[in-house]
Amino acid sequence: MTAAGTCGSFTITAAVTVNGPGEVTYKWKWSDGGEDTMTHAPIVFAAAGTKSVTTTWDVSAPGSYWVDIYIDQPNHQQFGRASFSCP
């Protein structure tokens, strides 16, 4: 997980790695307690490998923040943490 940007707009990228073919469904979770309600197209893998997905978060209030990715299928687990802050 990585975060890039400045106060006002951050881009968060998660690298999703699998050990074989299949589909991965996911959603984002934010440090303010928010949770992604969008339905994202599954990440489709023909074989083992890594693909990246991104989201943005517009935040400008001073403080420290983070974004996690929740892999719904097949793991049902929260992974990663992209941390960033506004001065």
Side-chain angles (χ1 to χ4, degrees):
M1 299 273 297
T2 61
T6 59
C7 292
S9 183
F10 291 91
T11 299
I12 294 83
T13 302
V16 178
T17 302
V18 299
N19 60 6
E23 293 186 356
V24 174
T25 59
Y26 67 96
K27 61 184 170 185
W28 302 98
K29 294 190 173 203
W30 294 276
S31 57
D32 68 355
E35 188 172 291
D36 188 1
T37 58
M38 293 180 58
T39 300
H40 302 280
I43 308 166
V44 179
F45 291 88
T50 300
K51 294 186 179 185
S52 295
V53 291
T54 61
T55 191
T56 58
W57 191 10
D58 297 332
V59 61
S60 57
S64 296
Y65 302 92
W66 55 260
V67 176
D68 287 348
I69 190 168
Y70 178 85
I71 302 298
D72 190 31
Q73 293 292 332
N75 301 91
H76 306 292
Q77 290 184 33
Q78 196 163 316
F79 289 97
R81 177 142 301 170
S83 299
F84 52 95
S85 61
C86 285

